[in-house]
């Protein structure tokens, strides 16, 4: 099991993956039997959007110093990869610095650029994304079939669930500390498997879960 829970408990699973944000309320009856109470999400909001915020900040910072910056497709890909690394670093550090040693201008002149950002600056920039998540979760909780259920545990899935501001937001809304003894990249299995069943229309009372799942 990727995490343990008391029998007959309700688990709120929030999955901030690369391209989507999915939330589910799952009733955990036993290690082998669970069922979806309700699920929702945003197919146009995910971890990549948080990376894109940093990407845009990097591009703006470079252009502010080199207006003739040549942003070709290869450079775009490189900067996005580095932006993702910065996002990960800011989950563990209060600041991040990245050096781009071989950028070029439109007339092929090579220049170096150093980009610096603090976690505080990043959290300010991602406020619109966090607001979208907050509104979605609150709407989800306001539904009768969800609000009438007691939530016993908050489980976070997806690599971007490590973002401190995101964790703090869910903790504040649900008044629960997120369960942190599971790997967010692995814990996706439960929500994905059960929500697929739920969305298929079969809406089973219970779904068997193997050991490879949550």
């Amino acid at each position: 099991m990727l995490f343990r829970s008391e029998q007959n408990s309700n688990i709120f699973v929030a999955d901030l993956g690369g391209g989507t944000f999915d939330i589910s309320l799952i009733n955990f009856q036993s290690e082998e039997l669970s069922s979806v109470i309700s699920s929702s999400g945003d197919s146009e909001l995910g971890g990549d959007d948080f990376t894109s915020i940093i990407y845009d900040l990097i591009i703006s910072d470079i252009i502010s110093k080199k207006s003739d910056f040549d942003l070709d497709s290869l450079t775009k890909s490189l900067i996005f990869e580095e932006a993702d690394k910065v996002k990960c670093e800011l989950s563990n550090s209060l600041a991040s610095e990245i050096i781009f040693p071989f950028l070029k201008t439109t007339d092929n002149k090579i220049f170096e650029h150093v980009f610096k950002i603090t976690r505080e600056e990043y959290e300010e920039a991602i406020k619109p994304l966090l607001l979208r998540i907050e509104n979605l979760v609150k709407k989800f909780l306001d539904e009768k079939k969800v609000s009438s259920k007691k939530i016993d545990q908050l489980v976070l899935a997806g690599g971007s669930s490590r973002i401190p501001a995101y964790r703090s937001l869910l903790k504040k809304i649900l008044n629960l500390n997120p369960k942190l003894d599971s790997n967010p990249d692995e814990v996706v299995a439960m929500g994905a498997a059960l929500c697929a069943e739920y969305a298929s229309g079969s809406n089973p009372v219970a779904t068997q879960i193997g050991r490879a799942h949550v």
Side-chain angles (χ1 to χ4, degrees):
M1 302 288 289
L2 294 179
F3 70 82
R4 296 186 179 278
S5 182
E6 298 295 328
Q7 291 188 357
N8 197 29
S9 60
N10 294 320
I11 303 167
F12 188 96
V13 180
D15 178 8
L16 186 58
T20 63
F21 174 63
D22 300 296
I23 50 181
S24 309
L25 185 61
I26 298 170
N27 179 247
F28 184 91
Q29 299 169 38
S30 70
E31 289 193 2
E32 299 298 332
L33 198 62
S34 296
S35 60
V36 174
I37 296 174
S38 187
S39 64
S40 185
D42 188 336
S43 62
E44 296 183 355
L45 172 63
D48 286 348
D49 295 288
F50 287 81
T51 300
S52 292
I53 293 291
I54 297 176
Y55 171 88
D56 291 339
L57 291 173
I58 294 173
I59 297 300
S60 296
D61 192 48
I62 296 174
I63 292 177
S64 70
K65 298 175 176 61
K66 287 284 185 179
S67 59
D68 57 347
F69 170 47
D70 183 15
L71 185 58
D72 56 27
S73 58
L74 183 61
T75 304
K76 287 180 180 179
S77 179
L78 169 66
I79 293 177
F80 192 87
E81 288 179 7
E82 295 302 319
D84 198 58
K85 294 177 184 178
V86 170
K87 178 186 72 174
C88 294
E89 185 174 358
L90 289 174
S91 291
N92 300 303
S93 304
L94 295 178
S96 179
E97 177 180 308
I98 187 167
I99 300 174
F100 297 95
F102 300 113
L103 299 178
K104 64 179 181 178
T105 63
T106 52
D107 57 355
N108 288 320
K109 292 182 179 178
I110 303 299
F111 69 95
E112 178 183 275
H113 183 81
V114 179
F115 176 77
K116 299 179 181 180
I117 185 171
T118 65
R119 182 188 290 177
E120 183 178 3
E121 291 169 335
Y122 175 54
E123 290 182 347
E124 180 66 28
I126 62 175
K127 277 185 176 180
L129 299 181
L130 295 175
L131 180 60
R132 284 174 63 181
I133 290 174
E134 180 178 5
N135 290 337
L136 181 62
V137 172
K138 286 183 175 180
K139 180 180 178 181
F140 179 82
L141 294 174
D142 284 341
E143 296 176 2
K144 184 177 180 180
K145 57 186 175 182
V146 174
S147 60
S148 62
K149 305 290 184 180
K150 177 179 179 290
I151 300 175
D152 301 293
Q153 190 174 117
L154 169 60
V155 174
L156 304 181
S160 291
S161 67
R162 296 179 175 88
I163 297 172
Y166 167 76
R167 288 185 170 185
S168 296
L169 173 65
L170 292 180
K171 177 181 178 181
K172 178 181 177 181
I173 296 172
L174 298 171
N175 196 29
L176 284 172
N177 288 313
K179 191 170 180 62
L180 302 178
D181 59 352
S182 302
N183 186 325
D185 300 310
E186 295 175 352
V187 84
V188 175
M190 180 185 211
L194 291 177
C195 288
E197 285 286 340
Y198 187 82
S200 69
S202 58
N203 195 18
V205 174
T207 301
Q208 293 292 330
I209 305 176
R211 289 184 176 273
H213 295 162
V214 179

